Amino acid sequence: MSDVMEKPKAIPRTPPAARAPGVLAQRPALERELVDLKLRIAEATLAAYEGKPDGRKNLAALHDDIRTVAAQLEGNAAAHELAQRLDRAATAAWFAALQENPKAAVEGITKKGML
């Protein structure tokens, strides 16, 4: 065991950034992306019917992209709920760290401001 006392780990001055707002903020862009992808269905399908090079491969890729974006949109509410729970847990852990070590919480704060 070392004779030197360990310096307490610095505690951030603010709680961790919230994740839940980002989930909601992305939804409109995903909805626009889904509409744009669906607008390409007719052209991609026609290319596949006409035997164009990579027509079927491109149609399959478009189908996969549509399914992926649709699944992300369908899971939006669940992802938002999870992000809210994780945000609450992170904030609670941050607050507990403040209460556990108040000296570390105020370290670097002076009468003139923060260092």
Side-chain angles (χ1 to χ4, degrees):
M1 188 162 93
S2 173
D3 290 333
V4 179
M5 288 185 64
E6 280 187 40
K7 184 177 180 180
K9 187 176 179 184
I11 299 171
R13 298 196 194 310
T14 58
R19 298 161 75 177
V23 173
L24 293 181
Q26 289 184 40
R27 185 174 178 92
L30 286 170
E31 289 171 339
R32 286 189 302 273
E33 182 181 355
L34 184 60
V35 168
D36 290 344
L37 289 170
K38 287 182 176 183
L39 289 174
R40 295 173 35 204
I41 292 172
E43 186 178 337
T45 304
L46 181 60
Y49 273 115
E50 292 179 342
K52 303 253 170 133
D54 295 328
R56 294 183 103 189
K57 185 175 88 174
N58 292 339
L59 180 59
L62 177 61
H63 180 69
D64 288 344
D65 290 346
I66 290 170
R67 285 190 341 192
T68 300
V69 173
Q72 190 173 352
L73 285 168
E74 286 173 18
N76 183 265
H80 184 252
E81 183 180 309
L82 174 60
Q84 286 179 316
R85 282 196 320 266
L86 294 173
D87 289 347
R88 285 191 298 271
T91 300
W94 171 78
F95 191 71
L98 288 177
Q99 291 179 324
E100 184 178 298
N101 193 349
K103 281 188 177 183
V106 295
E107 188 174 306
I109 299 176
T110 67
K111 288 182 181 180
K112 294 183 180 181
M114 294 186 278
L115 294 178

